[in-house]
């Protein structure tokens, strides 16, 4: 796996720090997307564009049937649509909430209809009736249709462990904070463990922060208040690298002057990730938080946004500039797409549950910089482990689903490693 081109900072943002996604959390939700076996499909446009009514997604009948290779029959007299695929069949009537699947009557939430001479049918009903698994991800506004042949292969595995003590259960999920739409659905074991939990535990509960609050934290911790600017605190070459990126984006060269190097070093990778098609709002943590809100599951945070941004603010001046230099180099030198390939590889590692690669990446962090490793991994792992042990030793007899960056889980200072050393039995799930 070729990962040397990926800067240590960018790696940390993707798999370790929730605050990387915080600044985009309050952005508008993406429009509804339909995936077929992980790939986006177009089901009509203009007056024939899919729409949602009463929680049901409607799509143009003919476009859907052609895409799913469903045999279509239409009775114009009764306004009845019939479909068949293999040994599965169904029928529904325009304006009626009663339909049939393999001869059995079922009740629809909302009836099929004709709009502007286009027949629209409920996507979930048609998909499930012809053998597809249909899932809805609120966090990504994505409907996924998975064919029977690839259903098992399409589910992301991730990294999950289970610990029990005193009638309490903690599921530990190593996450990745940036993902794409093809990351979903997650494997059933992950979803079942999450559903069984009384609490969701995350690094930072981003649902409790607004865009304005995150901006205020950044302004408080990451701006100069003594009359100096970025130019006064980094080398001429480093500053020139920042202004060149801004100029290339059509932004004023002094746009980031008020910010300290660590803030700028966060800003540049966020542009890279966005350009590569990855989104922080699609990260596993974001998905779980949205699901928790939907089911009224309480969310507990192991850290705060102030603490995570404070990690950067407390770094030495030399390390802050080093991280900024890394970010500039990564932005300016895609080298045949190796940086994007590295992100692809990280996401593929998570989807396939490749623990060997995860351990290699975790161990490699010890060789980056002692100050960096101590601040971002070792010290944080101790704090999070203490809180997890608090869950396990409580008298509540509750189940917690704790989701934190994957790089925190294994290795010499990993949460799983520390729990094992402290006498807990940790089982891989």
């Amino acid at each position: 796996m070729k990962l040397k081109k990926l800067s240590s900072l960018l790696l940390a943002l993707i798999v370790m720090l929730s605050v990387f996604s915080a600044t985009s959390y309050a952005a508008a939700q993406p429009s509804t997307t339909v995936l077929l076996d992980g790939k986006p499909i177009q089901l009509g446009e203009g007056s024939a564009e899919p729409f949602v009514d009463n929680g049901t997604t409607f799509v143009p009948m003919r476009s859907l049937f052609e895409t799913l290779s469903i045999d279509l029959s239409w009775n114009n007299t009764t306004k009845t649509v019939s479909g068949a695929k293999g040994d599965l069949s169904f029928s529904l009537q325009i304006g009626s909430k009663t339909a049939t699947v393999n001869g059995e009557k079922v009740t629809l939430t909302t009836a099929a209809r004709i709009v502007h001479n286009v027949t629209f049918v409920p996507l979930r009903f048609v998909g499930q009736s012809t053998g597809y698994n249909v899932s809805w991800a609120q966090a990504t506004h994505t409907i996924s249709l998975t064919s029977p042949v690839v259903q098992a292969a399409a589910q992301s595995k991730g990294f999950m462990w289970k610990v029990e003590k005193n009638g309490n259960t903690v599921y530990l999920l190593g996450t990745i904070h940036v993902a794409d739409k093809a990351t979903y659905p997650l494997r059933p074991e992950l979803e079942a463990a999450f559903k069984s939990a009384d609490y969701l535990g995350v690094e930072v509960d981003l649902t409790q922060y607004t865009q304005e609050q995150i901006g205020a934290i950044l302004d408080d911790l990451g701006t100069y208040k003594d009359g100096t600017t970025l130019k006064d605190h980094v080398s001429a070459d480093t500053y020139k690298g920042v202004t060149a990126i801004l100029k290339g984006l059509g932004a004023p060269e002094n746009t980031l002057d008020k910010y300290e190097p660590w803030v700028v070093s966060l800003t540049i990778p966020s542009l890279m990730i966005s350009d590569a098609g990855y989104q922080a709002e699609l990260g596993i943590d974001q998905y779980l938080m949205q699901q928790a809100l939907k089911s009224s599951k309480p969310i507990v945070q192991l850290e705060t946004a102030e603490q995570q941004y404070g990690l950067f603010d407390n770094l030495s001046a030399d390390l802050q500039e080093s991280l900024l230099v890394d970010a500039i180099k990564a932005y300016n030198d895609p080298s045949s797409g190796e940086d994007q390939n590295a992100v692809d590889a990280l996401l593929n590692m998570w989807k396939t549950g490749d623990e060997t690669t995860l351990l290699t990446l975790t161990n490699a962090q010890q060789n980056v910089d002692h100050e960096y490793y101590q601040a971002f991994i070792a010290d944080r792992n101790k704090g999070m482990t203490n809180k997890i042990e608090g869950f396990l030793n409580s008298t509540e007899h509750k189940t917690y689903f704790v989701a934190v960056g994957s790089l925190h889980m294994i290795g010499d200072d990993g949460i799983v490693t520390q729990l094992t050393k402290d006498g807990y039995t940790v089982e891989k799930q």
Side-chain angles (χ1 to χ4, degrees):
M1 179 174 163
K2 205 166 188 178
L3 287 170
K4 64 180 181 179
K5 289 292 296 179
L6 192 65
S7 71
S8 59
L9 171 65
L10 190 53
L11 177 63
L13 294 175
I14 295 170
V15 294
M16 216 164 49
L17 286 167
S18 295
V19 290
F20 175 60
S21 58
T23 54
S24 61
Y25 183 79
Q29 291 284 3
S31 59
T32 300
T33 299
V34 181
L35 303 179
L36 175 59
D37 290 337
K39 297 180 180 180
I41 56 175
Q42 184 70 39
L43 295 174
E45 56 186 0
S47 61
E49 186 175 355
F51 63 88
V52 178
D53 180 36
N54 195 29
T56 299
T57 300
F58 285 87
V59 297
M61 174 186 69
R62 292 192 180 278
S63 178
L64 177 63
F65 280 42
E66 290 175 1
T67 300
L68 301 185
S69 300
I70 299 172
D71 294 330
L72 167 66
S73 296
W74 168 254
N75 187 318
N76 193 52
T77 301
T78 61
K79 305 298 182 185
T80 299
V81 178
S82 298
K85 186 169 184 177
D87 56 357
L88 301 175
S89 63
F90 67 90
S91 66
L92 66 163
Q93 188 175 31
I94 303 301
S96 174
K97 292 185 179 180
T98 300
T100 63
V101 178
N102 295 326
E104 299 289 334
K105 288 187 177 182
V106 298
T107 301
L108 304 176
T109 302
T110 310
R113 65 196 66 178
I114 297 176
V115 181
H116 300 303
N117 296 317
V118 177
T119 301
F120 286 85
V121 293
L123 175 59
R124 179 178 292 274
F125 170 76
V126 173
Q128 291 179 336
S129 298
T130 49
Y132 289 84
N133 178 66
V134 183
S135 62
W136 164 254
Q138 176 67 32
T140 65
H141 278 222
T142 300
I143 299 174
S144 296
L145 298 169
T146 309
S147 62
V149 176
V150 299
Q151 280 179 21
Q155 295 158 350
S156 292
K157 294 182 179 180
F159 306 100
M160 186 169 72
W161 296 263
K162 180 180 180 182
V163 195
E164 295 178 297
K165 186 178 180 182
N166 295 340
N168 300 298
T169 299
V170 173
Y171 289 97
L172 297 169
L173 180 69
T175 69
I176 188 165
H177 298 312
V178 178
D180 57 14
K181 292 179 179 179
T183 305
Y184 301 89
L186 308 181
R187 62 182 167 107
E189 293 86 353
L190 299 187
E191 295 283 8
F194 170 75
K195 188 175 181 180
S196 72
D198 300 294
Y199 297 93
L200 168 65
V202 293
E203 294 174 28
V204 176
D205 181 7
L206 297 174
T207 68
Q208 299 301 312
Y209 295 87
T210 65
Q211 189 92 9
E212 291 73 23
Q213 288 173 321
I214 291 296
I217 295 170
L218 282 173
D219 282 341
D220 179 47
L221 295 176
T223 59
Y224 295 107
K225 302 173 180 65
D226 58 0
T228 61
T229 67
L230 178 67
K231 186 177 183 179
D232 301 311
H233 294 269
V234 297
S235 71
D237 285 343
T238 300
Y239 184 74
K240 183 178 180 180
V242 173
T243 57
I245 290 175
L246 292 171
K247 184 177 180 180
L249 294 171
E253 294 183 11
N254 65 349
T255 299
L256 299 174
D257 274 10
K258 73 174 184 177
Y259 293 106
E260 296 177 13
W262 67 268
V263 178
V264 184
S265 71
L266 287 173
T267 303
I268 293 173
S270 70
L271 299 173
M272 295 170 57
I273 293 296
S274 177
D275 288 345
Y278 301 101
Q279 300 177 44
E281 59 264 32
L282 301 186
I284 306 303
D285 314 70
Q286 299 272 18
Y287 167 76
L288 293 172
M289 283 185 274
Q290 287 299 315
Q291 293 301 306
L293 288 178
K294 186 177 180 181
S295 61
S296 299
K297 192 187 299 292
I299 302 174
V300 293
Q301 59 181 14
L302 307 183
E303 301 174 318
T304 66
E306 291 86 347
Q307 285 176 319
Q308 288 200 352
Y309 281 131
L311 293 173
F312 286 100
D313 192 42
N314 290 326
L315 294 177
S316 65
D318 287 344
L319 183 52
Q320 285 196 37
E321 181 164 2
S322 177
L323 294 175
L324 177 54
V325 169
D326 279 350
I328 294 170
K329 287 181 178 178
Y331 186 91
N332 290 330
D333 184 19
S335 297
S336 301
E338 285 186 21
D339 279 315
Q340 181 171 340
N341 290 341
V343 180
D344 289 338
L346 285 171
L347 192 51
N348 184 64
M349 172 196 72
W350 197 89
K351 291 177 181 179
T352 60
D354 184 354
E355 194 169 325
T356 299
T357 297
L358 176 60
L359 181 59
T360 299
L361 293 176
T362 303
N363 290 338
Q365 297 307 293
Q366 297 186 55
N367 300 321
V368 174
D369 179 277
H370 176 74
E371 180 188 359
Y372 166 89
Y373 178 81
Q374 196 66 35
F376 285 100
I377 297 183
D379 290 345
R380 294 179 63 211
N381 287 0
K382 290 178 182 178
M384 289 192 283
T385 300
N386 287 337
K387 291 196 174 183
I388 291 167
E389 291 187 358
F391 300 154
L392 290 166
N393 289 300
S394 75
T395 59
E396 293 185 348
H397 306 299
K398 297 294 185 179
T399 297
Y400 291 78
F401 191 90
V402 177
V404 300
S406 296
L407 289 186
H408 294 295
M409 288 302 179
I410 57 178
D412 293 342
D413 296 295
I415 293 173
V416 170
T417 305
Q418 292 188 44
L419 288 171
T420 302
K421 288 180 178 178
D422 290 344
Y424 297 89
T425 300
V426 185
E427 301 177 344
K428 188 74 167 63
Q429 300 295 295

